[in-house]
């Protein structure tokens, strides 16, 4: 081993004699490799590769490796690579220009952010978006002073904002969906809609709303990657992506209301809290239950038929918990190991256990003189168990 470490090879790039530790494992061991490179040269090449730039064939700007997809960067035969952002623009539409909704000017797509570009004919350019933002900020105070002006109800039951619009960017309201429900109720002449009718109106609204969320770009500002770390952050629900933690934190106030992962997490937490607060069956501890299980196990094996079924029914568990269990006798006396009901059903029946106490069995029927197994569990160890433990203690002392 020491001779192996002392051996040297010449690096094909810096032409220095380097030991085994100065090469990667792959570079050192590959006997067919005639031009091995040491770790330092490989690292320098990687840094140079990262600092290199290429021109995007669409926006004609110079970008580093991080701004291109791996396929676009590495494909040597590709003479016209597209950066990540231009690639996303192209996926939405092949158009190179579009007419702005507000100023009515036909502008190139570089004048739109990715979110506005995805809106089609409803897109606003950067200038109009900034102007609209200023209008919104200046109108917030005036709208907040008179809350009666925010929402008005028409005679037909539809709602409009202070500017008599269903959808208003200044008031930041959209009454389109509730108004569609109101129109449907008026059309049918009823005060309420059925679930099928409500779902139909909702689907029609979502179909015409022209909403498109790309998972490859930040939902907040349209950046394909984080400008600093060149990484993307994706919510566990796999519906939205962010370019930075700042965007993620800012958008969370909105997204948490529709996030499926967050809803599942809350449901799981509430369920765990409920299970924790739920009292044990018959207020018995697991040790007390094991006393009853052992007594039923011995009773069944000494001629007391249906003892396990009766005990399991009273404890509120499946009979296989006791029937498939085992008793061990050790230094601490007898211990009961519960049977794995799910495993038993999978191996013997080829089905999955649903967790119910009578799964695979009919309703419980009392087939023997009734015994109170709950009372036996509360009494603790039976005289039989105490006798066995005393014998074990005597044997240990002799």
């Amino acid at each position: 081993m020491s001779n192996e470490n002392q051996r040297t090879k010449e690096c094909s790039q810096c032409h220095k004699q380097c030991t085994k530790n100065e090469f990667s494992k792959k570079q050192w061991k590959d006997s067919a490799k005639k031009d091995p490179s040491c770790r330092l040269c490989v690292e320098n090449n990687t840094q140079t590769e990262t600092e290199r730039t290429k021109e995007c064939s669409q926006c004609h700007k110079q970008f580093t490796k991080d701004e291109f997809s791996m396929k676009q960067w590495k494909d040597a035969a590709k003479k016209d690579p597209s950066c990540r952002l231009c690639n996303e623009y192209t996926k939405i539409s092949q158009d190179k220009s579009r007419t702005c909704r507000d100023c009515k000017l036909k502008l190139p797509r570089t004048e739109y952010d990715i979110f506005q570009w995805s809106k089609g004919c409803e897109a606003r350019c950067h200038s109009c978006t900034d102007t609209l933002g200023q209008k919104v900020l200046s109108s917030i105070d005036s709208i907040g002073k008179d809350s009666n002006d925010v929402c008005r109800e028409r005679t037909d039951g539809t709602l409009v904002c202070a500017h008599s619009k269903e959808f208003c960017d200044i008031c930041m309201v959209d009454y389109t969906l509730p108004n569609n429900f109101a129109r449907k109720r008026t059309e049918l002449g009823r005060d309420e809609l059925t679930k099928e009718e409500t779902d139909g109106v909702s689907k029609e609204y979502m179909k015409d709303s022209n909403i498109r969320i790309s998972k490859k770009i930040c939902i907040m500002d349209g950046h394909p990657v984080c400008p600093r770390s060149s990484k993307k952050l994706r919510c566990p629900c796999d519906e939205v992506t962010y370019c930075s933690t700042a965007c993620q934190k800012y958008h969370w106030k909105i997204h948490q209301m529709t996030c499926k992962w967050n809803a599942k997490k809350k449901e799981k937490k509430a369920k765990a809290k409920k299970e924790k607060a739920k009292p044990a069956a018959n207020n018995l501890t697991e040790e007390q239950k094991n006393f009853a299980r052992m007594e039923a196990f011995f009773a069944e094996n000494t001629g007391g038929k249906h003892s396990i079924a009766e005990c399991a029914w009273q404890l509120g568990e499946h009979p296989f918990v006791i029937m498939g269990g085992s008793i061990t006798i050790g230094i601490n006396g007898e211990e009961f190991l519960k049977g794995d009901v799910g495993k038993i059903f999978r191996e013997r029946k080829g089905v999955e256990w649903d967790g119910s106490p009578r799964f695979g069995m009919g309703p419980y029927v009392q087939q023997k003189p009734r015994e109170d197994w709950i009372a036996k569990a509360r009494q603790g160890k039976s005289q039989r168990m105490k006798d066995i433990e005393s014998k074990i203690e005597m044997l240990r002392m002799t």
Side-chain angles (χ1 to χ4, degrees):
M1 182 63 73
S2 60
N3 293 334
E4 180 76 10
N5 290 333
Q6 289 172 5
R7 275 182 58 200
T8 60
K9 284 186 180 180
E10 184 180 348
C11 173
S12 61
Q13 295 187 42
C14 63
H15 303 290
K16 292 180 181 179
Q17 291 291 331
C18 303
T19 60
K20 179 181 178 181
N21 294 333
E22 293 176 291
F23 287 92
S24 66
K25 195 173 183 180
K26 184 179 178 182
Q27 294 278 347
W28 181 265
K29 283 199 169 184
D30 193 355
S31 57
K33 189 175 281 296
K34 299 177 183 178
D35 52 351
S37 299
C38 65
R39 293 180 189 271
L40 188 60
C41 291
V42 171
E43 188 177 341
N44 290 336
N45 289 342
T46 306
Q47 289 176 358
T48 307
E49 181 78 5
T50 307
E51 290 168 2
R52 275 181 58 202
T53 60
K54 285 185 181 181
E55 184 181 347
C56 174
S57 61
Q58 297 189 41
C59 63
H60 304 291
K61 292 180 181 179
Q62 292 288 335
F63 292 110
T64 58
K65 182 181 178 181
D66 296 330
E67 296 297 329
F68 290 90
S69 66
M70 191 176 289
K71 184 180 179 182
Q72 293 279 345
W73 182 266
K74 284 194 173 182
D75 193 353
K78 189 175 281 295
K79 299 176 182 178
D80 52 351
S82 300
C83 67
R84 292 180 189 270
L85 191 58
C86 289
N87 202 27
E88 289 300 323
Y89 276 118
T90 308
K91 283 182 182 178
I92 296 169
S93 174
Q94 295 287 340
D95 299 337
K96 300 295 180 183
S97 61
R98 186 165 286 173
T99 304
C100 177
R101 172 185 170 179
D102 292 349
C103 64
K104 307 300 180 185
L105 296 175
K106 193 168 186 179
L107 301 168
R109 67 185 185 186
T110 52
E111 294 298 318
Y112 299 87
D113 64 41
I114 194 77
F115 176 70
Q116 290 291 337
W117 184 255
S118 67
K119 288 186 173 182
C121 60
E122 296 293 318
R124 289 188 180 87
C125 64
H126 291 309
S127 179
C128 294
T129 304
D130 294 339
T131 305
L132 178 63
Q134 291 172 6
K135 284 183 181 178
V136 170
L137 291 173
S138 61
S139 63
I140 287 174
D141 294 335
S142 59
I143 292 174
K145 289 175 183 177
D146 188 4
S147 59
N148 295 325
D149 289 340
V150 176
C151 175
R152 295 174 184 173
E153 186 174 355
R154 290 175 174 171
T155 53
D156 60 351
T158 57
L159 303 172
V160 292
C161 71
H163 305 92
S164 301
K165 292 182 179 180
E166 283 189 1
F167 176 77
C168 184
D169 289 317
I170 298 175
C171 297
M172 294 187 292
V173 293
D174 185 2
Y175 298 123
T176 308
L177 185 58
N179 285 352
N180 287 349
F181 289 138
R183 293 188 187 99
K184 188 70 174 178
R185 288 193 295 268
T186 306
E187 180 188 335
L188 298 172
R190 297 202 306 264
D191 293 334
E192 292 184 5
L193 298 176
T194 62
K195 187 178 183 301
E196 290 76 14
E197 291 166 347
T198 304
D199 292 342
V201 174
S202 300
K203 283 181 182 177
E204 194 65 28
Y205 168 74
M206 294 301 292
K207 183 181 177 182
D208 297 335
S209 60
N210 196 22
I211 295 173
R212 183 186 185 278
I213 299 175
S214 175
K215 294 181 182 179
K216 296 184 179 180
I217 60 172
C218 178
I219 194 173
M220 293 300 295
D221 51 24
H223 287 170
V225 293
C226 176
R228 293 184 299 277
S229 65
S230 303
K231 293 180 181 178
K232 291 185 291 187
L233 304 172
R234 183 167 293 176
C235 182
C237 69
D238 201 33
E239 290 181 351
V240 290
T241 307
Y242 307 98
C243 67
S244 64
T245 52
C247 287
Q248 188 177 23
K249 287 178 182 177
Y250 189 83
H251 188 250
W252 179 244
K253 296 174 185 177
I254 303 167
H255 182 58
Q256 66 178 339
M257 296 184 284
T258 57
C259 181
K260 294 176 183 177
W261 171 78
N262 189 46
K264 195 180 286 186
K265 187 179 177 183
K266 281 185 177 179
E267 186 181 347
K268 191 176 179 181
K269 193 174 180 181
K271 188 177 179 181
K273 190 176 180 181
K274 189 177 178 181
E275 287 293 327
K276 192 175 180 181
K278 187 178 177 182
N282 303 297
N283 295 319
L284 296 175
T285 63
E286 195 62 27
E287 188 180 9
Q288 289 174 326
K289 287 181 183 179
N290 282 336
F291 293 151
R293 288 166 185 152
M294 280 190 279
E295 290 299 314
F297 189 87
F298 278 115
E300 185 83 24
N301 287 281
T302 53
K305 291 185 178 180
H306 311 297
S307 296
I308 289 178
E310 183 184 40
C311 179
W313 174 252
Q314 291 183 20
L315 293 177
E317 58 191 18
H318 201 279
F320 282 170
V321 174
I322 305 174
M323 201 179 300
S326 60
I327 298 174
T328 60
I329 301 175
I331 299 173
N332 298 323
E334 291 179 315
E335 291 183 5
F336 185 81
L337 302 176
K338 294 192 294 183
D340 189 341
V341 184
K343 185 178 179 181
I344 293 170
F345 272 107
R346 279 193 298 272
E347 292 179 353
R348 297 184 186 179
K349 309 287 184 180
V351 295
E352 287 294 328
W353 180 44
D354 65 355
S356 60
R358 298 298 296 176
F359 179 75
M361 310 172 76
Y364 176 71
V365 179
Q366 189 71 33
Q367 296 179 325
K368 60 184 284 298
R370 190 179 184 282
E371 285 188 64
D372 192 349
W373 296 98
I374 305 298
K376 285 188 176 185
R378 289 201 178 101
Q379 287 172 3
K381 297 178 181 178
S382 64
Q383 189 58 46
R384 178 192 58 77
M385 293 170 67
K386 290 176 182 177
D387 292 341
I388 291 173
E389 287 183 3
S390 63
K391 287 180 181 178
I392 291 171
E393 185 66 25
M394 288 175 64
L395 289 170
R396 193 165 56 181
M397 292 175 65
T398 54

